[in-house]
Amino acid sequence: MSKKDQLPKYPESYWIETSSELSSYPALEQNLETDVVVVGGGISGITTAYLLAKEGLRVVLIEAGRLLNGTTAHTTAKITAQHDLIYDELIQREGEEKAALYYKANHEALQFMKQTIEQNDIDCGFSVQDAYVYTNSNEYINKLEKEMSAYAALGIPGAYLDQTPLELPARAAVVMHNQAQFHPLQYLSALVLKFVEAGGTIYENTTAVDVEPGAHPQVITSKGRRMTCKHVVSCTHFPFYDGLGFYFARMHADRSYVLGVHVEDKWSEGMYLSAEDPKRSIRYVNTAKHEKLLLIGGQSHKSGQGVCTINHYEELRKFATSHFRLKEIAYRWSAQDLATGDNIPYIGRITASSPNVFLATGYRKWGMTNGTAAALLIRDLIMEKENVYEGLYAPSRPTTLGALKNLIVDNADVAKHLIAGKLELVHKHPEDLAVDEGSVVKLHGKRAGAYKDSEGKLFLVDTTCTHMGCEVEWNNGDRTWDCPCHGSRFSYRGEVVDGPAEEPLKTLQL
């Protein structure tokens, strides 16, 4: 393998690497009172906090780590209402009215972002692009034709094509016109500054672990601090507070992968997604050196499950080398997303019994528009304004038969992995590890997790997930411990990377 074809040794997001250093904010060290507490420092949380501060409310935004280091920092950053082949599916399952609402909510989110960028002169590489779903499979040509019929029924500007501008094999495609792409962290960094200018307060390294509901709910942190408020908004991927909504059983976590690749090929405009599996998502970024960096994504699977994770990067590398003339694979990273049973996000009041606690989650890899739509909807609900999308996204909406079947399958899968993890026979021992290797091992006769870093230092953890007791598995592509049941992720030291787990893995000694 030549040097230009080699994967980077460590995962690193292009968005993080090319972002200006954000100001740091203190951890919360005292109790406080405010109007709204927004939990989560990604696109949903920051946009919601910004909108509510503009309404004149006192808003506190808290983040368990640093702002803009979660899913938003690991997206492909397509701003589009074209969420794969979803509109024919929505018409068949939910009816034409709800399918139209879904499109309009995401279209309005795109327009809001475009206007916000223009009005505030935000330099974030925003550009209008057409979005394509293409296929090389005869099986999917009929599905593309049905999707085009759905576009026509819903009034979505688009077309059915026999080929695309991209120099890749394609038998057919549907295009949605006038979508967009951008640098998400540059955009959101500007919103953070606008939020602070509007009187907003930010606390980093502040983990919310519970809510005491009521007329004036209290958000409780891992350090026992209390924030008394009128409204709570959870924008934490998995809700940090469940409110007996059982969201851990109503969603599943998917992991997907991205390569950032410099190529010699001339690049056509547009954003692309394959209809068939394995998914291939392709778009470009104009870098500071005026080079086009291709972002090639795909290889989705349930978190903590599947083949050795570095193999997913290898599959993307093979795709890149077979279709483009590579100069360099400059970046690799992965992202985690949540999907609901009916593929429509949960946005709104967490339960009917907690009308002033809100959540936004379940974007199914389409967080740029769905996350913005969530902020716009929650803003209206808190300000007691009518919003036509409330019923569509309501977390308490009735479960359709199709969604129920998906949830039964997901929860059966959870049970399978819970049992399998407990019965697994482990033969490897900590001393068997090579440098920069992680694995499940046997320690003092019990299952444990071990990682040996590049300097030979050994890190040992209990592999029992602190959420519901499933056994985590080693993710060698990202050097994390991932739970196959509900998608919690932990660093090799045991710290929580992604919820729903709130407590770290227990550290062990030889």
Side-chain angles (χ1 to χ4, degrees), residues 75-384:
T75 177
T76 53
K78 295 178 179 178
I79 312 173
T80 179
Q82 188 190 66
H83 299 170
D84 205 344
L85 301 180
I86 194 173
Y87 291 103
D88 178 62
E89 172 194 334
L90 287 175
I91 289 174
Q92 299 306 317
R93 191 185 67 237
E94 305 289 344
E96 197 169 298
E97 182 180 355
K98 287 188 176 180
L101 286 173
Y102 185 89
Y103 169 73
K104 290 175 183 176
N106 284 277
H107 176 72
E108 288 176 11
L110 189 161
Q111 297 307 312
F112 167 83
M113 297 170 80
K114 183 175 184 288
Q115 291 164 11
T116 300
I117 290 165
E118 291 172 349
Q119 290 169 2
N120 295 284
D121 195 24
I122 300 173
D123 182 8
C124 60
F126 180 90
S127 66
V128 174
Q129 300 286 331
D130 286 342
Y132 300 81
V133 179
Y134 70 94
T135 187
N136 280 294
S137 166
N138 287 330
E139 176 189 353
Y140 277 84
I141 289 176
N142 180 248
K143 293 182 179 181
L144 288 177
E145 291 172 344
K146 289 182 177 180
E147 189 73 356
M148 190 61 240
S149 295
Y151 281 23
L154 300 175
I156 299 174
Y160 181 88
L161 306 172
D162 295 325
Q163 59 184 10
T164 74
L166 186 64
E167 292 185 7
L168 279 179
R171 297 184 183 182
V174 290
V175 58
M176 186 179 290
H177 296 306
N178 298 320
Q179 305 303 289
Q181 62 187 27
F182 72 152
H183 191 306
L185 301 198
Q186 290 174 352
Y187 167 73
L188 289 168
S189 296
L191 287 198
V192 168
L193 295 178
K194 294 293 181 183
F195 168 64
V196 173
E197 289 173 7
T201 304
I202 298 172
Y203 294 102
E204 294 182 316
N205 299 307
T206 300
T207 304
V209 295
D210 202 3
V211 173
E212 287 189 0
H216 292 87
Q218 291 189 337
V219 178
I220 304 168
T221 74
S222 58
K223 293 184 178 180
R225 309 303 180 197
R226 290 175 175 263
M227 290 170 280
T228 304
C229 57
K230 298 175 183 176
H231 307 280
V232 180
V233 185
S234 172
C235 300
T236 56
H237 213 39
F238 253 106
F240 77 94
Y241 169 71
D242 193 80
L244 297 180
F246 300 102
Y247 291 99
F248 64 87
R250 296 169 61 192
M251 297 186 289
H252 72 263
D254 285 329
R255 192 138 208 92
S256 55
Y257 302 81
V258 182
L259 297 183
V261 181
H262 290 293
V263 298
E264 295 180 8
D265 308 76
K266 184 179 179 181
W267 181 253
S268 300
E269 296 287 298
M271 306 181 297
Y272 301 84
L273 180 70
S274 64
E276 62 268 27
D277 292 324
K279 292 293 183 185
R280 292 292 178 261
S281 168
I282 311 170
R283 61 155 287 198
Y284 75 87
V285 178
N286 277 323
T287 69
K289 296 180 180 179
H290 305 291
E291 293 181 301
K292 280 184 166 58
L293 179 75
L294 293 192
L295 302 186
I296 302 175
Q299 294 296 119
S300 179
H301 65 91
K302 285 189 176 181
S303 295
Q305 303 180 23
V307 300
C308 176
T309 52
I310 199 67
N311 290 352
H312 295 294
Y313 290 111
E314 287 289 349
E315 288 301 314
L316 292 180
R317 184 190 65 79
K318 291 176 185 176
F319 177 84
T321 56
S322 64
H323 292 94
F324 303 102
R325 293 175 295 162
L326 267 59
K327 293 180 181 178
E328 176 191 23
I329 302 176
Y331 301 91
R332 69 175 176 92
W333 69 85
S334 65
Q336 183 154 301
D337 297 273
L338 297 174
T340 67
D342 60 7
N343 290 332
I344 299 174
Y346 293 136
I347 304 167
R349 294 177 173 87
I350 192 165
T351 59
S353 60
S354 298
N356 50 1
V357 180
F358 303 84
L359 86 160
T361 188
Y363 301 151
R364 198 180 60 98
K365 300 183 179 69
W366 302 105
M368 298 301 97
T369 52
N370 270 321
T372 303
L376 293 165
L377 172 54
I378 291 172
R379 186 259 327 258
D380 287 352
L381 294 177
I382 288 175
M383 299 307 297
E384 299 184 350

